[in-house]
Amino acid sequence: MSSCAPNDAQFRIQNPMAEFLRMERMPHIWCPGCGIGSVVTSMAEAIKNGGHDMDKIAVVSGIGCTGRVAGYVKFDSFHTTHGRAIPFATGLKLANPELKVIVFSGDGDLFSIGGNHFIHAARRNMDLLVICVNNFTYGMTGGQMTPTTPTTANASTTPYGNYEYPFSLPFLADAAGATYVARWTSLNARNITDSISEALNRKGFSFIEVITPCTTLYQRRNRLGDGIDAMQYYHDDADIQHGADTRTVDIGFQGKLKTGKFVDRQKPTYLDAVNTHYANVIGDDYQLYGKTPPEKQAEEEAKRAAAAAAEQADGLEAEYIDEPAECGGDDA
Amino acid sequence: MFFGKLKKAHGKVIINPNWCKGCGYCVKYCPTDVLEMSKGYNAKGYHPPQVKAAADCRDCKFCELICPEFAIYVTSDKEEEQASASA
């Protein structure tokens, strides 16, 4: 375009997303107008603004278009089997409680085959951040109906319109016990960033639903136009209602969208509950599982200080012993 | 003016036309209408955006945030001045 535009190789290096994305895999496979890329940018922005240690963040995805995120981001990431993103993330969190684990997956993956895992992780209040990119369809496999497809919407498995009732994801998450529930559309890029920042700085099961357009399948099959039309719909029909009752936030076909932060409550996380319970039952013999980072840090620092003190004492002695030996060697 | 001596922020938009898939989000949602769709095609056959009014860019970086292709970013001019001064 303009004369000073960087070439492709320079663009890959100079792009501010280069810190967060595996640039060698770009450009990505998502369709024109797909909102997943915007959500990834928002997540990267939130991590950048929060000043989080990139080595302490792990991204887990399931299968599907959104599942590709794990392959594109430069964090420790894993692309799990279909629906098993949350169980894998749970294991990751239990193995290393210092990690901030982000589950980034789609509606089909998290709520149809992974539905049970979702409600149980929410029930236990596992310390995870679940970002669900909801495009109302299975994009990668050809536009089949998902548990979130609104009634009367057309999908390739419901060519005469969907006759089932969809899940209302914030209500499901709230009822299952999630401690932070928010919903945004992919047009609310700044709100998504703020929401992810907030969720990364808190403990407990956080769930953020992002409604994005699937231009190739959902929009086209339902004759809703392209990505711009979907954005216009979000612009016109979505209103922000923080703290709305989650029973009222279900989505009808092209109906009103309620967005905002619906739930924010405090509850002991799974690891906190384990520790408190066993500390009560077993008493002092119980070794705390999954110490909080400050406790562990304090412990490590104390250990390091002790080691340094011991080393210093050893070093003094060693030098004292070494010197005569060296002198002896020179003389000989 | 109300804001007294505050200077307007100014940014420079950098586009990679080869990654663009022509969704048009950056053009439609730029608050100061800096961009427009170009008439030309890129290698994939889409119309990438081009800068129409570079002076109007206020460095809000919304195009960078909304672009699903990571194909556009904004550098603030202040950063550039500092970089050139130190170099």
Side-chain angles (χ1 to χ4, degrees):
Chain A
M1 297 287 109
S2 65
S3 58
C4 57
N7 63 29
D8 202 73
Q10 283 170 335
F11 189 88
R12 279 169 205 268
I13 298 164
Q14 289 165 2
N15 194 321
M17 287 295 283
E19 210 180 321
F20 304 100
L21 292 178
R22 296 172 208 252
M23 277 296 173
E24 68 276 11
R25 296 195 176 184
M26 294 290 137
H28 55 61
I29 61 152
W30 296 316
C31 306
C34 175
I36 301 171
S38 316
V39 188
V40 175
T41 316
S42 296
M43 180 180 78
E45 193 78 7
I47 290 167
K48 199 198 308 182
N49 294 346
H52 297 284
D53 185 357
M54 300 243 312
D55 294 338
K56 294 277 164 67
I57 286 180
V59 176
V60 183
S61 292
I63 296 296
C65 293
T66 322
R68 305 285 304 189
V69 169
Y72 289 136
V73 294
K74 222 189 229 174
F75 307 108
D76 290 339
S77 61
F78 196 75
H79 190 184
T80 63
T81 43
H82 197 8
R84 313 300 176 227
I86 289 181
F88 184 86
T90 303
L92 198 56
K93 182 76 192 174
L94 292 181
N96 187 355
E98 281 177 43
L99 286 179
K100 279 187 190 300
V101 185
I102 303 175
V103 177
F104 201 116
S105 206
D107 55 319
D109 180 72
L110 280 175
F111 290 95
S112 64
I113 190 163
N116 230 325
H117 301 304
F118 177 86
I119 56 175
H120 286 287
R123 174 180 66 78
R124 293 188 188 114
N125 198 15
M126 280 307 306
D127 193 4
L128 304 175
L129 164 58
V130 179
I131 300 170
C132 173
V133 175
N134 182 2
N135 54 11
F136 304 119
T137 196
Y138 282 102
M140 191 167 269
T141 51
Q144 288 85 358
M145 189 202 86
T146 69
T148 55
T149 309
T151 315
T152 74
N154 188 312
S156 64
T157 45
T158 56
Y160 297 99
N162 178 20
Y163 42 81
E164 295 180 10
Y165 299 102
F167 270 144
S168 170
L169 302 186
F171 183 35
L172 181 69
D174 184 14
T179 54
Y180 181 96
V181 180
R183 173 201 272 159
W184 300 105
T185 68
S186 65
L187 181 58
N188 308 111
R190 298 227 191 265
N191 302 68
I192 303 170
T193 310
D194 292 348
S195 223
I196 296 176
S197 303
E198 202 180 344
L200 280 174
N201 285 326
R202 69 195 299 293
K203 290 192 119 196
F205 190 87
S206 314
F207 173 64
I208 298 170
E209 178 191 7
V210 184
I211 294 170
T212 61
C214 176
T215 48
T216 312
L217 291 157
Y218 185 77
Q219 297 286 117
R220 187 172 59 83
R221 288 197 77 93
N222 289 289
R223 296 187 168 77
L224 298 174
D226 56 8
I228 285 279
D229 296 297
M231 288 292 188
Q232 190 61 44
Y233 159 58
Y234 301 151
H235 181 263
D236 294 341
D237 286 350
D239 23 306
I240 299 176
Q241 296 186 6
H242 290 300
D245 188 347
T246 48
R247 280 173 293 184
T248 64
V249 298
D250 51 332
I251 304 171
F253 181 61
Q254 292 299 95
K256 288 278 175 204
L257 295 168
K258 283 183 188 169
T259 59
K261 183 173 84 177
F262 301 133
V263 177
D264 189 357
R265 59 183 165 222
Q266 294 296 328
K267 223 164 79 168
T269 63
Y270 176 76
L271 286 177
D272 291 346
V274 169
N275 283 337
T276 347
H277 179 71
Y278 278 127
N280 284 340
V281 176
I282 301 176
D284 291 340
D285 290 344
Y286 178 65
Q287 196 177 358
L288 286 181
Y289 185 93
K291 287 182 186 110
T292 56
E295 281 170 5
K296 192 155 187 181
Q297 205 178 350
E299 205 179 72
E300 270 173 13
E301 259 166 32
K303 209 182 278 176
R304 216 176 296 140
E311 207 170 88
Q312 213 172 4
D314 281 355
L316 284 174
E317 278 172 24
E319 271 172 35
Y320 188 72
I321 295 162
D322 278 350
E323 267 178 19
E326 268 176 26
C327 293
D330 284 345
D331 286 343
Chain B
M1 263 298 280
F2 182 68
F3 291 108
K5 279 182 263 174
L6 282 179
K7 273 188 188 165
K8 283 180 183 171
H10 187 247
K12 192 174 134 199
V13 185
I14 291 161
I15 301 163
N16 185 346
N18 292 326
W19 287 12
C20 178
K21 292 177 188 160
C23 67
Y25 293 168
C26 52
V27 175
K28 181 158 182 187
Y29 291 103
C30 175
T32 51
D33 270 343
V34 171
L35 300 163
E36 64 179 357
M37 297 309 275
S38 62
K39 292 263 161 38
Y41 296 94
N42 65 9
K44 290 178 188 149
Y46 296 110
H47 298 287
Q50 64 187 17
V51 178
K52 175 175 68 175
D56 286 349
C57 180
R58 291 284 165 262
D59 193 22
C60 76
K61 295 188 184 353
F62 193 69
C63 52
E64 188 182 313
L65 206 53
I66 199 91
C67 177
E69 308 295 326
F70 318 112
I72 187 167
Y73 66 88
V74 184
T75 52
S76 62
D77 274 2
K78 208 189 276 173
E79 276 173 24
E80 257 178 31
E81 277 164 25
Q82 281 171 355
S84 61
S86 63

